Amino acid sequence: MARFIFITGGVVSSLGKGLASASLAAVLQARGYSVRLRKLDPYLNVDPGTMSPTQHGEVFVTDDGAETDLDLGHYERFTDVDARQGDNVTTGRIYSNLIAKERRGDYLGGTVQVIPHVTDLIKAFILSNTEDTDFVLCEIGGTVGDIEALPFFESIRQLGFELGKDHAIYVHLTLVPYLPAAKELKTKPTQHSVKELREIGIQPDIVLCRADREIPANEKQKIALFCNVAEECVISALDVKSIYQVPIKYHEEGFDIQILKHFNLPHENKPNIKKWENLVERDLNPESGEVNIAVVGKYTGLADAYKSLLEALHHAGMANGVKVKIIWVNARSFLKEELPQKLQNVHGILVPGGFGEDGVKGKIAAATYARENNIPYFGICLGMQLAIIEAARNLAGIEKANSSEFKKMDNPVVGLMTEWEKGDSKETRSADGDLGGTMRLGAYECKLKRGTLARSIYKKDLIWERHRHRYEVNVDYKQTLEEAGLVFSGMSPDGNLPEIVENPNHPWFIGVQFHPEFKSRPFEVHPLFKDFIRASLEKRDTHS
Ligand code: GLN
């Protein structure tokens, strides 16, 4: 039976619980154990698909088409285990299942209550499909004390009792802030947070303390005493230069050892963390300097909105021995004439995914600028659709070319898809249907055309990539656009959906309908990102 590690957070949000969970999983994996990570999100949306990226960060998409919390991206990148629909749940989903059951009559005669009905569903979710895994790490979103999180805390409390100490452990992540006026690290917020957790019946076994400097032994003793944990179970989580140092640091702090001791598992051997050490070495010492990549998007105010994208660029930088410096260009707020100045020292331009008409003009201008100035261009999802519209307007002379997302029209260059094939089945949507969970989502196959840049980068004929969009490039324009100079280097197997487009009259100009950033991993860098950075580096070096 799996052993469960429940990870909660306190004091403030944004302490990096996702990264902490993923890093602990990576160290356990480095000891030969199998792991699975899960995220329980207390908010009431059924999934984050309808939430704004500027509020909640990116929506991460799994192979099986789930729209999930961005922490699942950390999980995949740190453990290389593909996340599934069943690895992220919200209060909204739990309740919508509960109410469907109630309407069906499953609770006939009974009064439906938070305890036991809601908590039973949460517990069933946590336990489902875990039989063949050594460790299941289960992160509760938000912080202790949040009203909507209570049923989740209650569920893990019950599970701790039901599974027993030898199959469950609680880790609580807190902040130990430094007070400049007192020149001291302060442990009181941690004490309060643990007190709050104990009030709802959960005694943490390990307290993981984020701090910006070493926590002195006497302060650790204080935390241990007040929080009722062993001193060696007060683990420091100090700020690091590279996120990929975290698994190494956790081991140095004895985090993995305390977990194994708790479960009476052998802990004398060292985990095999060599690959992490090599990665960090490369990350912190790029031998080829810096490359400047402009990201022209509209969610530029919050880096979390582009989490996987930034990580994919980071991986590609490490693979090319270079630090990727991001130049944020807010697509909503510049004039076309300002572009040359904004993109002055830029070696590559990336237009990421996005929704809605805001900023579209700026993104199209960036695509034109990249095309005309031979700057490597990488268009992702909306960034691909806009590159197509740009080419249709400026190369093929279709002045009115647009997407029906922005302008209702007959026969648009980019149009709403109402029917497409998924394997052997057909997916259908109507124009006025629900917005939640109804896009083309998850992994789809794509056939690459021989002799194209995309084919030479992937070195394969068939690829699988993850999608999240409602509109598609209209295949009726394929011939016209090809005559104007573009090449459709990737198509859906039935030949109806353009998936990759490139411009062979340009050093590196690629647009993809899917989101390759979701599949990039530090130890398996996505080939498109890797080659985009290589081409940008080439641009830098021919420039200077
Ligand atoms: N808004 C576009 C669509 O729905 C692009 C989506 C995206 O970039 N993820 O098709």
Side-chain angles (χ1 to χ4, degrees):
M1 190 191 184
R3 293 173 175 86
F4 290 81
I5 303 174
F6 297 111
I7 298 136
T8 58
V11 181
V12 290
S13 59
S14 305
L15 281 180
K17 242 184 301 141
L19 203 61
S21 309
S23 299
L24 174 61
V27 195
L28 293 170
Q29 222 181 19
R31 289 179 170 275
Y33 293 107
S34 61
V35 294
R36 178 153 290 282
L37 287 133
R38 293 216 153 135
K39 174 95 194 268
L40 309 167
D41 275 313
Y43 52 75
L44 284 141
N45 305 60
V46 172
D47 62 39
T50 55
M51 287 159 94
S52 160
T54 47
Q55 236 191 58
H56 188 72
E58 111 187 334
V59 175
F60 186 78
V61 180
T62 58
D63 269 344
D64 61 3
E67 297 179 278
T68 71
D69 186 79
L70 60 78
D71 277 339
L72 275 79
H74 288 309
Y75 302 168
E76 285 201 351
R77 288 187 286 272
F78 275 75
T79 65
D80 205 21
V81 175
D82 284 333
R84 305 184 286 228
Q85 173 93 56
D87 292 328
N88 187 199
V89 83
T90 67
T91 297
R93 188 174 295 280
I94 293 285
Y95 270 85
S96 82
N97 292 348
L98 178 102
I99 287 163
K101 273 161 87 66
E102 189 275 334
R103 291 292 82 187
R104 224 173 26 231
D106 288 9
Y107 303 113
L108 218 51
T111 306
V112 183
Q113 294 179 296
V114 172
I115 305 170
H117 302 102
V118 171
T119 49
D120 277 355
L121 286 186
I122 296 173
K123 287 194 290 181
F125 168 83
I126 293 172
L127 297 173
S128 64
N129 294 323
T130 53
E131 301 75 19
D132 53 359
T133 312
D134 296 323
F135 286 101
V136 177
L137 292 91
C138 209
E139 178 193 343
I140 316 288
T143 40
V144 60
D146 293 347
I147 288 180
E148 64 263 40
L150 276 174
F152 289 101
F153 285 113
E154 170 60 16
S155 302
I156 64 168
R157 183 197 67 75
Q158 291 177 19
L159 271 181
F161 183 73
E162 288 162 22
L163 294 165
K165 258 206 160 324
D166 52 346
H167 279 91
I169 185 169
Y170 299 102
V171 175
H172 190 55
L173 175 65
T174 71
L175 177 70
V176 179
Y178 179 76
L179 231 59
K183 294 197 177 57
E184 260 183 343
L185 282 167
K186 289 294 181 192
T187 65
K188 193 67 84 188
T190 296
Q191 297 174 32
H192 278 292
S193 180
V194 169
K195 184 165 166 266
E196 186 140 14
L197 201 56
R198 290 167 68 190
E199 269 169 23
I200 52 176
I202 297 173
Q203 165 65 53
D205 300 287
I206 293 179
V207 183
L208 184 60
C209 304
R210 280 296 302 270
D212 68 352
R213 61 202 68 207
E214 214 57 62
I215 305 175
N218 62 324
E219 298 300 330
K220 280 192 172 179
Q221 281 158 7
K222 208 158 61 183
I223 294 173
L225 183 68
F226 282 99
C227 299
N228 208 23
V229 297
E231 202 183 313
E232 58 274 22
C233 289
V234 179
I235 310 278
S236 337
L238 303 187
D239 297 348
V240 282
K241 287 206 183 92
S242 160
I243 55 166
Y244 297 112
Q245 276 172 301
V246 180
I248 303 170
K249 292 283 174 209
Y250 278 180
H251 170 62
E252 285 171 7
E253 287 288 331
F255 191 7
D256 54 333
I257 294 169
Q258 294 310 324
I259 297 271
L260 296 173
K261 272 189 176 170
H262 173 98
F263 290 123
N264 285 318
L265 290 167
H267 55 268
E268 292 78 15
N269 291 349
K270 276 184 87 64
N272 184 5
I273 48 174
K274 194 85 212 135
K275 68 171 187 178
W276 293 100
E277 289 166 351
N278 293 340
L279 184 74
V280 170
E281 171 64 28
R282 263 187 293 139
D283 195 11
L284 298 182
N285 305 296
E287 71 256 18
S288 307
E290 260 184 14
V291 67
N292 298 334
I293 301 296
V295 175
V296 186
K298 70 169 181 180
Y299 314 123
T300 48
L302 180 73
D304 266 1
Y306 297 114
K307 193 77 217 171
S308 295
L309 186 84
L310 295 180
E311 275 313 302
L313 287 167
H314 182 187
H315 303 157
M318 290 192 276
N320 282 285
V322 67
K323 181 176 169 8
V324 176
K325 186 169 169 216
I326 306 290
I327 314 284
W328 293 105
V329 180
N330 184 346
R332 298 190 215 222
S333 65
F334 65 80
L335 299 169
K336 206 166 145 192
E337 300 69 49
E338 293 170 355
L339 259 192
Q341 190 254 328
K342 282 199 184 290
L343 301 177
Q344 228 173 37
N345 294 315
V346 157
H347 312 117
I349 296 174
L350 194 152
V351 176
F355 294 83
E357 197 175 4
D358 258 14
V360 158
K361 269 204 186 107
K363 292 176 194 174
I364 292 183
T368 312
Y369 187 82
R371 184 173 56 73
E372 290 178 344
N373 292 283
N374 286 333
I375 302 173
Y377 176 87
F378 195 5
I380 294 179
C381 209
L382 183 62
M384 177 255 206
Q385 297 172 354
L386 297 179
I388 292 265
I389 291 172
E390 195 278 329
R393 288 181 190 170
N394 302 328
L395 296 178
I398 310 169
E399 266 167 51
K400 294 211 161 75
N402 214 332
S403 163
S404 52
E405 181 174 5
F406 318 128
K407 194 173 169 56
K408 297 280 163 273
M409 51 165 55
D410 293 333
N411 220 17
V413 172
V414 178
L416 180 72
M417 270 304 286
T418 50
E419 217 173 80
W420 66 90
E421 283 176 9
K422 181 158 199 173
D424 293 334
S425 61
K426 197 160 248 173
E427 300 260 332
T428 51
R429 303 283 187 271
S430 73
D432 50 4
D434 281 356
L435 287 184
T438 56
M439 284 186 260
R440 181 149 86 102
L441 288 167
Y444 281 82
E445 210 172 13
C446 163
K447 258 193 187 158
L448 300 182
K449 186 172 169 173
R450 297 220 148 215
T452 61
L453 177 59
R455 172 68 183 69
S456 78
I457 292 173
Y458 275 100
K459 300 186 176 63
K460 286 186 204 168
D461 292 321
L462 272 181
I463 54 163
W464 285 88
E465 291 283 5
R466 298 183 188 173
H467 289 249
R468 181 171 185 257
H469 53 102
R470 211 175 295 284
Y471 300 85
E472 301 276 351
V473 174
N474 186 344
V475 73
D476 293 348
Y477 286 97
K478 180 166 178 268
Q479 201 185 336
T480 315
L481 290 166
E482 288 199 324
E483 282 162 11
L486 296 188
V487 166
F488 286 74
S489 42
M491 297 291 292
S492 59
D494 64 4
N496 284 334
L497 307 175
E499 302 279 32
I500 309 181
V501 68
E502 58 190 69
N503 185 340
N505 306 314
H506 184 283
W508 208 100
F509 193 103
I510 292 187
V512 293
Q513 183 58 83
F514 44 82
H515 288 274
E517 68 270 29
F518 293 142
K519 285 184 69 166
S520 188
R521 314 226 165 133
F523 302 109
E524 214 173 309
V525 181
H526 195 288
L528 285 175
F529 279 93
K530 190 168 158 189
D531 206 60
F532 171 60
I533 294 300
R534 183 204 54 73
S536 305
L537 209 49
E538 210 171 278
K539 177 79 186 167
R540 181 196 73 177
D541 294 342
T542 48
H543 221 61
S544 52

